[in-house]
Amino acid sequence: MPDQPTSTLLIVDVQNDFCSGGALVVQNGDRVVPVLNRALAQPGLAGLIYASRDWHPPVTVHFKEHGGVWPVHCVAGTDGARFHPDLQLPPETIIVTKGGTPSTHGYSAFEGTTPSGETLLEDLRRRGVTHLVVGGLATDYCVRQSVLDALKAGFEVTILTDAIAGVDLQPGDSARAIEEMTEAGALLTTADAFTP
Ligand code: VGL
């Protein structure tokens, strides 16, 4: 029997610190959660599921007080680093952990590793994945960098535009990030309109 078409969903950094009440709030960050839950419930969309997470040490060049630009957020093991409690990640979700050393920023999920210690790229290649569907936070940082790295590595990428939200440190950053990802080859759709 031929395989049913399924896609691979990459959910980027839907963690408490990027949602309301968190240390580095992404405006409307919470709004991606129900949309991603609908995507997770579509077997044709979420055949294989990866969820990346920032997992920073307390002292890192990523944080303002140590030379970076960001307030302290997503410190490994803290509540702020947990996935949003309403995000319905199934137990088979492959967690990709990134930004875990004092000298790395870990914007891209491709800097991350799985629980078995493989890089995301190694894991995807071993499973024969060629196409990634991406949603999560934040459009102008971790989503952007993950999508650009995926395209560079030769994956087809579809972004769920209703399942992303941005920081917009400068007004228009998210819109520019979407333009940049599209110019690099990413396709845009919405979670509800998606067909594998
Ligand atoms: C992110 C800013 C700082 C993100 C992480 O997940 O997009 N943004 N650290």
Side-chain angles (χ1 to χ4, degrees):
M1 204 172 70
D3 286 338
Q4 293 297 309
T6 61
S7 296
T8 299
L9 183 61
L10 170 62
I11 298 180
V12 177
D13 299 9
V14 180
Q15 294 169 271
N16 286 329
D17 269 342
F18 299 125
C19 296
S20 61
L24 200 173
V25 178
V26 176
Q27 227 188 350
N28 299 324
D30 304 67
R31 282 205 201 155
V32 304
V33 173
V35 182
L36 285 167
N37 284 340
R38 288 202 297 279
L40 284 162
Q42 285 186 50
L45 200 164
L48 182 62
I49 300 155
Y50 293 86
S52 70
R53 64 180 182 185
D54 272 2
W55 203 246
H56 298 302
V59 176
T60 160
V61 294
H62 192 58
F63 296 157
K64 206 178 284 175
E65 62 199 61
H66 306 292
V69 291
W70 304 109
V72 174
H73 63 277
C74 297
V75 172
T78 62
D79 257 5
R82 284 183 206 279
F83 292 117
H84 190 290
D86 296 337
L87 184 66
Q88 286 158 15
L89 291 174
E92 65 272 19
T93 302
I94 301 160
I95 310 289
V96 178
T97 299
K98 61 190 177 67
T101 71
S103 59
T104 53
H105 291 275
Y107 287 116
S108 172
F110 284 84
E111 291 179 46
T113 52
T114 68
S116 68
E118 281 180 301
T119 64
L120 172 60
L121 184 61
E122 288 166 344
D123 193 290
L124 290 165
R125 291 246 161 96
R126 180 169 50 75
R127 294 173 199 269
V129 173
T130 56
H131 183 184
L132 286 175
V133 181
V134 180
L137 307 172
T139 308
D140 35 357
Y141 289 93
C142 292
V143 170
R144 171 185 172 274
Q145 201 54 58
S146 302
V147 165
L148 294 177
D149 283 351
L151 291 165
K152 241 181 258 161
F155 293 92
E156 286 176 70
V157 178
T158 302
I159 301 167
L160 301 175
T161 53
D162 48 348
I164 57 176
V167 179
D168 285 319
L169 272 187
Q170 303 296 325
D173 279 354
S174 294
R176 279 188 290 275
I178 291 175
E179 209 175 283
E180 190 183 358
M181 293 186 280
T182 310
E183 273 166 15
L187 304 173
L188 305 180
T189 187
T190 62
D192 295 327
F194 183 86
T195 46

